Every structure is written in C-alpha cells, then in structure tokens.
Amino acid sequence: MTSHNMTWISYPSKNPAFTSPEEIEDIIASQNIISRLMHCYIAFFVPTGLIAGLCILIVFIKNYVQHKVIENLDLLLLHFTISNMIMIFLSFTVIARPDYLTATHLTCNVLSFFFNFSYFNSQYGFILTLLVLLLKRFPPRTALCKATQRPILCVGIVLSYTFCLSLTEAVLVGTDNYHLEADCQLDPLFAWPEYEIIKFTFGFGIPLFLQILCFTVLLAKAAPAQAPALQQHIRTYPAVYVSSVTMFMCRLFYNLMLLFRTSLKLQKSTGTTKNELVMNIAEIVLFCESCASLVFILCLHKPCKDEILKVIQNCRRKTTANNHIEIPETNAPHESESQ
C-alpha cells in the first residue's frame, strides 16, 4: 500500500486563509452550534447512558450470582453494553469542542485504535445478538447454528476479528510524523483515505448486509408450527429491534459523512466550515446512539425491566410505610353536667 503525505490537510476553521468577514461569521456560527450540541450531549446523554449501562451491569451480575448461569442473549447484551460504555468514555474527547484535542500523531492513533475497537465490537456483537434471536425462532440444525449456542466462543471470535480490524485502521492512520502534534479526533483527519473506506466497508457496509439478511429471513421464512407468531416474537425482544433501528439511522449518517470526507481528501480539498460542522454533528450523533441503545436495553429488555419495576415497587412500599402514621384516637372532653 502506497504511503500518503497528509501534512497538507487541516480543518477549515483552522485555515488562516479564511479572512473575509463572511467566512469568519461562518466559523463563529458553526462553533456556536457545535458547542451547544456538545454541552447538551455531556449534560444529558452521557449521564443517562452511563447510569443505564451501570444498571444493566448490576442486573446481569446479580442474576448470575443468584442463578449461577447467564442466558446467551444476556451475555451478548452484556458484551454490547460494555462496548458502548467504552465508547461513551472515549467520547469525552469532544469536551474541547469547538476546538480539538492537541496531541501527537501517536497518541491520537492510540485513541483511534480503542475507539475503532469499541465501534467494530459493538457492531459485530449486535449482529451476533440478532443471529441468536433468529435462531430462537428457527431451531438450529447446522453446525453454524449450534456454534451460536456457545456465546463465549462467539464473543471471543468477535473480539479477535475486531482487534484485527482496529489494528488495520491504526496502520491506515499513518505511521509517519508520529512525534508531531496535531488536532486530534477519534477518526483522525490526517488519516489516509483508505482509513475511511475500510471503516465504511467493514464497520457499516458488511454489518448492514448481515443485518438485512437476518431481517429478511425473519420476515420471509416460514417459522415452525410450534414457534410463536412474528409479532409476539418481536414484542418479546423489543430492546434488540429498537436498538437495531437506532444504530442503523445514526451510523448511516456518520458513515456517509466519513465517505464525504474521503472524497474531499482525494480531491486535495479541506472542505468548508459547514462540512466540518456536519462531520462534528455526525460524531456526536454516533455517541448519542451508544447512550440511547443502553437506555433501550435497560427499559425494554425483560430482566432489566423486571428489576427496575421491582425496585420501584419496593420504593413505593417504603414510602407508603413511612407516610402511614397512626393517629391515636382522642376522646373529646365531655360537657360538664348541668347543675
């Protein structure tokens, strides 16, 4: 693979050639928008996502301690939860917006590696979850179907695969000028064009194809007579299907912006301030999706939902017990007898 010289590229808002009043106004307006979005994300989405993820971990660990066994679906959702929580922690890099983190190319590459590892891991782990749900409706008959009954092995395969993809992406960020400082995003601007192409292909294109394949089989294939109706099956596992739609919408927007940024690189163009703004919005939307998916699992997945309802009922009982104060009966004084 031919090495690329990416020292020419810079963010439009950092380009000193923009000196006209209109361009300066565009930069200020874009920075105001991204700053407000960042504050909304940090203030609302991050606490909600982390609290939801922590509650999911507590529920799954508690169920495992009580029953000494964890269902295949719960194990895969636990894996998905951990991946999304790591992505939320890495999203703290947007705190500097509308400015960017200043770091060496090597440090930025390390952050990008862990980000891509969590990104690919959550994507392929979720595909594995869809496959397990598909097999709950259609009894396993082949060796591949039987292999999904060993979720720990499947998770290990996903981890190994995503590690290789992340390592490939780290190479495509570029190994030159590793000691130089630059403005850092989790998807580095100075990465080679192949970086975005590989990420789109293996992080969105192939998973989307597998996801569509799972839904096609689910909707088109006739289920066995003893299998529940399709609507009942979907209502039984709403968290997975709602998260699937959310992931598709958010990651579609994000990956389209990555491809658009690649087209600018191939044209040797830095783009405009509006292009930079939309890319920053897409990045925050991606992080919002990680938070939203955890909330959906907490509120819609049956073990988590049942535990939440149990806690709410206990709180109501304690509140009712504390508020229930017995008022002793007092006898009204008798009127004095008339003399």
Side-chain angles (χ1 to χ4, degrees):
M1 183 176 295
T2 306
S3 177
H4 298 273
N5 179 14
M6 303 300 296
T7 55
W8 58 271
I9 198 166
S10 64
Y11 290 99
S13 61
K14 301 282 187 176
N15 192 342
F18 290 170
T19 55
S20 68
E22 293 79 8
E23 292 169 337
I24 294 176
E25 288 178 1
D26 289 341
I27 292 175
I28 294 174
S30 297
Q31 289 181 343
N32 286 336
I33 294 173
I34 196 62
S35 178
R36 291 175 183 177
L37 289 176
M38 181 272 295
H39 282 98
C40 290
Y41 169 72
I42 296 296
F44 298 106
F45 283 89
V46 169
T48 305
L50 290 179
I51 292 172
L54 185 62
C55 291
I56 294 170
L57 294 180
I58 292 173
V59 170
F60 286 158
I61 292 173
K62 179 182 176 181
N63 290 341
Y64 177 76
V65 171
Q66 290 179 347
H67 305 291
K68 300 301 180 183
V69 66
I70 184 170
E71 293 187 4
N72 296 348
L73 179 61
D74 290 349
L75 180 60
L76 294 176
L77 289 179
L78 178 63
H79 170 250
F80 179 73
T81 298
I82 294 173
S83 298
N84 278 280
M85 290 185 70
I86 293 174
M87 285 188 65
I88 295 174
F89 282 118
L90 289 172
S91 73
F92 280 104
T93 55
V94 304
I95 290 179
R97 303 295 162 81
D99 203 353
Y100 298 91
L101 289 178
T102 301
T104 63
H105 284 218
L106 179 61
T107 302
C108 196
N109 201 346
V110 171
L111 288 173
S112 177
F113 171 82
F114 285 108
F115 169 63
N116 285 322
F117 183 79
S118 301
Y119 177 86
F120 291 130
N121 201 22
S122 63
Q123 184 72 71
Y124 284 96
F126 194 79
I127 295 298
L128 190 59
T129 304
L130 288 176
L131 181 59
V132 168
L133 287 189
L134 190 66
L135 297 178
K136 282 181 176 291
R137 183 166 171 79
F138 302 99
R141 296 176 182 176
T142 64
L144 177 62
C145 295
K146 293 179 181 179
T148 58
Q149 303 304 312
R150 303 173 62 185
I152 295 180
L153 175 62
C154 295
V155 169
I157 294 174
V158 169
L159 289 173
S160 301
Y161 177 65
T162 53
F163 176 82
C164 294
L165 284 177
S166 304
L167 195 60
T168 302
E169 289 288 81
V171 173
L172 294 176
V173 170
T175 56
D176 300 332
N177 305 318
Y178 63 90
H179 59 285
L180 297 179
E181 288 191 344
D183 295 318
C184 180
Q185 264 185 303
L186 292 178
D187 284 311
L189 180 67
F190 54 82
W192 298 350
E194 290 86 352
Y195 173 92
E196 285 94 354
I197 296 173
I198 293 296
K199 185 162 187 174
F200 177 85
T201 303
F202 290 91
F204 184 75
I206 294 177
L208 178 61
F209 170 77
L210 295 175
Q211 188 172 337
I212 292 175
L213 186 62
C214 287
F215 277 105
T216 302
V217 173
L218 180 66
L219 298 174
K221 187 176 179 180
Q226 67 274 15
L230 179 59
Q231 293 182 352
Q232 181 181 352
H233 173 80
I234 295 176
R235 284 197 299 266
T236 306
Y237 309 102
V240 177
Y241 294 111
V242 172
S243 297
S244 178
V245 175
T246 305
M247 287 181 66
F248 167 73
M249 294 173 61
C250 296
R251 298 200 177 199
L252 173 64
F253 176 46
Y254 176 73
N255 280 273
L256 289 178
M257 292 304 102
L258 276 182
L259 282 185
F260 181 73
R261 193 172 77 171
T262 305
S263 66
L264 293 177
K265 289 181 181 180
L266 295 176
Q267 298 170 13
K268 298 292 182 180
S269 171
T270 58
T272 64
T273 306
K274 291 182 180 179
N275 299 146
E276 181 183 357
L277 171 64
V278 175
M279 186 65 219
N280 282 325
I281 293 174
E283 187 180 32
I284 293 180
V285 168
L286 177 70
F287 295 139
C288 289
E289 175 265 313
S290 297
C291 301
S293 294
L294 295 181
V295 173
F296 291 145
I297 293 174
L298 180 64
C299 297
L300 299 177
H301 187 51
K302 190 176 186 305
C304 299
K305 182 174 64 175
D306 292 345
E307 194 67 28
I308 292 176
L309 294 176
K310 188 186 301 182
V311 171
I312 293 175
Q313 290 174 356
N314 291 336
C315 291
R316 286 179 176 176
R317 289 172 184 171
K318 291 181 181 178
T319 303
T320 304
N322 292 336
N323 292 336
H324 183 69
I325 302 175
E326 293 185 358
I327 303 176
E329 295 182 359
T330 57
N331 294 326
H334 295 287
E335 295 181 356
S336 60
E337 295 181 355
S338 59
Q339 296 180 350

